[in-house]
Every structure is written in C-alpha cells, then in structure tokens.
Amino acid sequence: MQRVPLTIEQQNALKAIAWLFAAVTGAVTIGLGTIFTCLFIASGGAPVVRFLVAAGALSLLFGFGLTAWRIYTIGLDLRDGVAQVRRARLKRTSSSRRTPKNYYAEFFDIPGTLQFSHEVWETLQPEGEYLVTYSPHSRLGWAAEPVSGAFDLT
C-alpha cells in the first residue's frame, strides 16, 4: 500500500461534498423544524400532534447524526491529506437505482465498498486487476488504473 498526497482537485471535491451535506442538512432542519412548530402551535398541543412532532424530531436527530458522521470522515481524509493506492482485483460493481446514481465497486484486497465517479466506474472490468487510489475514511475512489499481468491470491 502506498500513500500519495491528495491533489487540489481531490481536496476541493471533499470540501464540496462536506459543504453540500451541511447545507442540505441545515435547510431540511430549518424547514421541517418550522413545519413541526407550526403544527404544534396550530393544534394547541394535541397528544397526537405531540407524538408526531417528537417522532419527527427524533428522525431529524438521526439524520443529523448520519450527516455529522459523513462530514467527520471527510474531515479525517482532509486532515490526513493523503490517498491510499493499492493493487487489487475487482470483485463486483453496482450502482444505485435512484437519480442521480451513485457508482460502487468492491475489491478483494480493499475492505468495504468504494464510491467512484461514473467515468471511472464505466472502465472497470470484472476480475480485472487495478491500482486503486482512494480516500480511506470517506471511501471515495479517485482512480482505478488497469494493471497488466496475472494476479496471484495465494
């Protein structure tokens, strides 16, 4: 395993993702918080509305925690300032069903799933061997360059 410094483009991409998560979370929190407050006031504090407001608040708290964790992992990658490069054989690829799509790849020698751009993901071939550049904490794949030669797992 090698470590290479993050490029300026990679650092900017990580920062943009972190800011996007923070902005969306803030907007959703303010919007839903306003709706819940208006419902609570308009209903006069009816028990059913109290329950719904509490359930909504817990859902917001859970979503906020997930977002905070994602921003934290991106921050760890930015703090380290390096990407890892590993030689690995591709296990499988997948993509999300929703739009915009996310593209994922799993490798035999890299634990977990990495998220790639569509351009990189399209070039991946099953059982192919690659030099994979990725951020270890946020699990973002930056590049996957084909490697010639046989791959020995023994």
Side-chain angles (χ1 to χ4, degrees):
M1 171 182 64
Q2 287 180 287
R3 297 174 75 111
V4 295
L6 289 172
T7 65
I8 295 298
E9 291 82 13
Q10 292 167 341
Q11 291 176 19
N12 288 340
L14 287 170
K15 289 174 187 176
I17 293 168
W19 278 109
L20 179 64
F21 272 105
V24 169
T25 301
V28 168
T29 301
I30 290 170
L32 290 178
T34 302
I35 290 170
F36 291 150
T37 302
C38 290
L39 281 174
F40 187 73
I41 292 170
S43 71
V48 172
V49 174
R50 283 187 200 169
F51 173 76
L52 292 175
V53 169
L58 288 175
S59 297
L60 278 175
L61 190 59
F62 180 73
F64 184 75
L66 289 177
T67 302
W69 178 255
R70 182 69 171 157
I71 293 171
Y72 174 72
T73 61
I74 290 169
L76 290 176
D77 283 331
L78 285 169
R79 184 199 66 199
D80 292 347
V82 294
Q84 292 185 1
V85 179
R86 283 193 180 180
R87 185 175 175 155
R89 188 164 51 109
L90 181 65
K91 188 186 298 186
R92 74 176 138 257
T93 60
S94 61
S95 63
S96 62
R97 295 176 195 249
R98 63 182 169 82
T99 303
K101 286 189 170 204
N102 291 322
Y103 300 94
Y104 304 100
E106 292 181 49
F107 295 86
F108 283 106
D109 295 335
I110 300 173
T113 303
L114 300 177
Q115 183 177 350
F116 284 95
S117 68
H118 183 255
E119 293 78 22
V120 174
W121 183 81
E122 273 188 326
T123 65
L124 299 175
Q125 299 296 318
E127 299 295 318
E129 187 176 343
Y130 297 91
L131 273 179
V132 182
T133 305
Y134 66 99
S135 292
H137 300 291
S138 60
R139 313 298 299 159
L140 293 172
W142 300 111
E145 299 173 19
V147 176
S148 60
F151 191 81
D152 185 15
L153 287 177
T154 58

